[in-house]
Amino acid sequence: MRRRPTVLGALGAVVLLGAGCGIPAASDVRVDGKGGAATEAGVISRGSEPPTRTASGSVNEAFVRNFLSAAAGEPDRAYERVKAFVAPEDKTRLQDKKGSEVALNVVRVREAVYTLNSDSTTTVRISVQQIGVLRSNGILAPPVATETEYEFGLRSAAYNGGADEERAGLYVINPPNVLLLSDVALRQYYQDETIYFWSSDRTRLVPDQRYRPQAVPEDRRVNEVVKWLVGGPSDWLRPGVVGLPDRTELINNATGGNGRWEVNLDMSADDQNSIDQLITQIAWSLGDLPGELELKIRNNSQPVVELSGRRESVALYPNTATPQRFGVYEGAIHALDFEGEPSGLVPLAPEVNRNVVAASLGLAKDERVLAAMVVSGTAKGRYRLAVGTGPAPVSLVNRSGSEFSSISRPVWLRTVDSRPARGLVVADGQLYRFDETARMFPVPLNLPSGAVTAVAAALDGQRVALIVGGRLYVAAVNLDGGGVSIGPPRELVTSLTGPTAVDWGREDQLVVAGSVGQPAIYEISVDGALETPLRTDLGAKVNHLTAYPSNRSVRLPSGAYMYEANGVAYRSSPSERIEPDRVRGIAPVPAGVRPSNPTAPFFLY
């Protein structure tokens, strides 16, 4: 929506930079001056280099959009690209930084106000949401700046106006003293990449999000990825993973081409197992890059490895089962049947499949069923945690010693071995870990006081998403010593307000329910920068959400999620209500009797 022109100074107008730069005309996203529109994936054409200063002519809105893209690209030239937009007399206002010191303030632009002044200049005031700081190592760190507004001016680049004004374009005057990058430009001029670090117990690989400029040639991709691995994980992920040995350095640059790559490291590790794990780490961190890798440790060559073959031989996740849908119907778990999808039997004996409110079922590596359920307590409005494990059908469950007024859907922390399973659950605003006997232990969080209302675990079992005090967080999990500790959580800055439910939809993406003026569901990157609206017409608050975390080990379409709002369950792809006739194994409802609604849907995988 565009607002009517407003008198501001001599003449003013309010314009949303999001309009026309990321949201298609047919989108169901409502754009208004207060909401801050999210960018929809797939509608922005990618490019390697942002537009030049004169590309927009003298059109204010397009010029500002390009100015907020100018810093995109290789860090060493970021200041040069931005200063090309700045008037010669004001270039000194931006103090150059080089190399690793270059940092871009990534912002989500909410609205822009343009005021035409009597001297023919224009004052631009943009209101923003600070998303984070994009560093030269590809990490989007939490935001440092607190500004919610920036002001600068525009003037014609032509001398004394004239016929060449359109060709000359515009200049920025009185520029901000920081490098700004819009979230639209981040999506358009960077490739989001996933690299991997070994968990603290070295049993599995854990994803870490990075951004590589599109301008970086493909033949330098290996070099960039290895530098990221040498530099170590993102700060929030460190408590749950291990980096390369201290003082590891890249000897020269990674070289190669035509399907053959050579990496030479000065690294202290000498044992073959550690070197072999490093090769696996590099192979997965290079995505789907084909070809061969020759790793050298202090110039000593290791056997050449075929990258795709290594990825096939060492799976990211041990479980490649196709997910099955289940839900709760009249106090019992039932399979949900949908055409074209697998549907299995409930892996619980009937005697323990009673009084269920919500549940989480998982499959362990040794094919045991992991069952964690919220069940009714001894009094109305009271609930207990029930846990059972073993071969299907599970016939014995243990119940928690305490009852609570509220318990969230429990989640399992998946492992790649046969160690006893552990999970997380929220009860009465407190996060707990639980074991196979349903014992519950408080898990402290390094956060200001605030009620915990939701928890979700990633497929790797080393990362969680949390909603605490009405804010969205991610955190690393450390499972050393038989316990569960949560590293300092990182808050994600999003367009959604009042998040109510969360789950992992992909390795690097969360599915989150909240509000953008009305209840909505968004897909949000693990650092909060990239947003895609999934549903913005819900009409009721979502109190339960579950997703299947698609990944590179299981080639299934992403975006499968289910949710409950106002006592009614829904699924995505296609988006529809889950009707009672989708519930397997229930007796026909007598004529004239209204059937119950299936609730609390979830995936078994």
Side-chain angles (χ1 to χ4, degrees):
M1 179 185 79
R2 288 186 181 272
R3 291 182 178 176
R4 299 175 57 188
T6 307
V7 176
L8 293 168
L11 178 64
V14 177
V15 178
L16 286 175
L17 291 185
C21 62
I23 299 178
S27 170
D28 62 356
V29 180
R30 187 177 65 186
V31 180
D32 59 44
K34 298 296 184 183
T39 303
E40 180 146 317
V43 298
I44 299 175
S45 59
R46 288 189 179 273
S48 60
E49 291 279 359
T52 62
R53 180 185 64 80
T54 57
S56 57
S58 59
V59 180
N60 289 344
E61 293 89 344
F63 177 82
V64 171
R65 192 159 56 243
N66 292 347
F67 174 59
L68 296 177
S69 302
E74 300 205 56
D76 285 346
R77 293 182 51 238
Y79 280 88
E80 176 186 337
R81 292 190 297 271
V82 172
K83 283 189 172 184
F85 282 71
V86 177
E89 65 271 21
D90 283 343
K91 290 184 186 293
T92 56
R93 288 176 174 266
L94 273 175
Q95 299 299 314
D96 285 24
K97 295 179 181 178
K98 300 296 182 183
S100 62
E101 295 181 345
V102 175
L104 313 183
N105 281 32
V106 181
V107 296
R108 185 171 290 120
V109 180
R110 295 189 177 279
E111 68 179 13
V113 179
Y114 297 81
T115 306
L116 178 61
N117 303 313
S118 58
D119 61 356
S120 296
T121 64
T122 299
T123 299
V124 182
R125 188 169 69 249
I126 58 173
S127 61
V128 302
Q129 184 180 44
Q130 299 283 350
I131 298 175
V133 177
L134 182 61
R135 305 200 180 280
S136 59
N137 60 2
I139 293 176
L140 185 70
V144 175
T146 58
E147 286 83 357
T148 58
E149 188 175 276
Y150 291 97
E151 184 175 292
F152 50 91
L154 306 180
R155 73 162 175 83
S156 172
Y159 289 103
N160 300 318
D164 62 345
E165 186 169 353
E166 179 68 24
R167 182 183 304 171
L170 300 169
Y171 274 132
V172 173
I173 56 178
N174 299 318
N177 62 356
V178 295
L179 298 185
L180 297 177
L181 183 76
S182 71
D183 63 327
V184 174
L186 178 69
R187 189 189 290 270
Q188 188 170 3
Y189 299 109
Y190 290 82
Q191 178 66 48
D192 52 311
E193 302 265 9
T194 300
I195 63 173
Y196 296 86
F197 291 90
W198 285 101
S199 59
S200 54
D201 59 3
R202 289 192 167 273
T203 60
R204 77 211 83 172
L205 286 168
V206 183
D208 194 9
Q209 177 100 5
R210 299 299 166 98
Y211 295 93
R212 175 172 56 89
Q214 295 279 355
V216 172
E218 185 67 20
D219 59 5
R220 282 177 43 201
R221 180 181 175 189
V222 175
N223 196 68
E224 293 299 301
V225 167
V226 173
K227 286 198 303 183
W228 291 341
L229 294 175
V230 169
S234 299
D235 287 344
W236 74 271
L237 196 59
R238 287 183 185 276
V241 300
V242 292
L244 273 59
D246 290 343
R247 295 182 293 279
T248 296
E249 293 183 2
L250 183 62
I251 301 175
N252 301 319
N253 288 326
T255 58
N258 298 320
R260 173 84 176 219
W261 312 96
E262 180 181 301
V263 174
N264 194 0
L265 293 177
D266 182 359
M267 191 175 73
S268 60
D270 290 321
D271 65 287
Q272 192 58 45
N273 184 60
S274 295
I275 293 173
D276 201 54
Q277 283 198 326
L278 174 58
I279 293 173
T280 300
Q281 183 179 359
I282 294 174
W284 276 111
S285 297
L286 290 173
D288 294 327
L289 186 72
E292 297 178 331
L293 172 70
E294 181 182 0
L295 177 65
K296 295 182 177 180
I297 305 298
R298 302 191 205 93
N299 298 312
N300 295 316
S301 293
Q302 303 297 312
V304 174
V305 172
E306 205 274 322
L307 291 170
S308 60
R310 174 54 64 98
R311 291 190 288 264
E312 290 174 2
S313 65
V314 184
L316 275 176
Y317 307 107
N319 189 348
T320 58
T322 302
Q324 300 169 22
R325 297 178 192 257
F326 290 85
V328 176
Y329 187 83
E330 294 188 342
I333 297 172
H334 290 266
L336 301 177
D337 290 333
F338 290 95
E339 185 177 354
E341 294 188 4
S343 181
L345 300 174
V346 176
L348 299 176
E351 60 267 24
V352 298
N353 189 14
R354 296 181 300 175
N355 302 319
V356 179
V357 177
S360 175
L361 303 182
L363 298 175
K365 183 181 179 181
D366 56 8
E367 299 185 356
R368 289 184 307 147
V369 173
L370 308 177
M373 300 170 286
V374 179
V375 298
S376 301
T378 56
K380 185 177 181 180
R382 305 293 291 177
Y383 306 95
R384 300 172 76 177
L385 179 68
V387 179
T389 64
V394 174
S395 59
L396 177 65
V397 298
N398 299 289
R399 288 174 169 78
S400 60
S402 300
E403 296 187 353
F404 304 89
S405 59
S406 67
I407 304 182
S408 73
R409 183 176 72 92
V411 296
W412 290 100
L413 296 172
R414 294 174 180 269
T415 61
V416 296
D417 51 35
S418 57
R419 285 179 296 178
R422 289 161 287 183
L424 295 171
V425 68
V426 176
D428 288 351
Q430 166 73 48
L431 181 66
Y432 291 87
R433 69 173 171 92
F434 63 85
D435 60 18
E436 294 186 5
T437 65
R439 292 181 303 171
M440 298 171 60
F441 308 89
V443 178
L445 295 174
N446 186 20
L447 286 173
S449 59
V452 185
T453 53
V455 61
L459 191 57
D460 49 79
Q462 298 286 151
R463 299 173 301 159
V464 294
L466 300 155
I467 297 176
V468 185
R471 297 175 183 271
L472 179 64
Y473 297 87
V474 291
V477 177
N478 191 305
L479 301 176
D480 291 350
V484 175
S485 62
I486 305 294
R490 171 180 173 172
E491 182 178 357
L492 304 188
V493 181
T494 80
S495 297
L496 282 176
T497 59
T500 58
V502 61
D503 206 353
W504 292 79
R506 288 189 277 163
E507 282 187 325
D508 56 355
Q509 301 280 339
L510 303 172
V511 180
V512 187
S515 176
V516 285
Q518 61 181 356
I521 296 176
Y522 272 36
E523 184 177 62
I524 299 175
S525 61
V526 73
D527 52 22
L530 306 179
E531 297 185 335
T532 301
L534 300 177
R535 290 293 305 272
T536 58
D537 57 350
L538 299 179
K541 182 176 74 171
V542 173
N543 63 289
H544 173 96
L545 176 68
T546 181
Y548 173 70
S550 60
N551 60 87
R552 287 158 57 189
S553 290
V554 182
R555 301 295 184 176
L556 290 177
S558 62
Y561 64 93
M562 299 184 288
Y563 64 95
E564 181 185 329
N566 198 28
V568 178
Y570 300 84
R571 71 158 180 157
S572 67
S573 306
S575 179
E576 64 180 10
R577 178 172 176 167
I578 301 176
E579 300 288 354
D581 61 7
R582 297 292 187 182
V583 181
R584 184 198 295 179
I586 60 174
V589 178
V593 177
R594 184 175 181 178
S596 301
N597 290 321
T599 59
F602 63 92
F603 294 95
L604 169 63
Y605 52 90

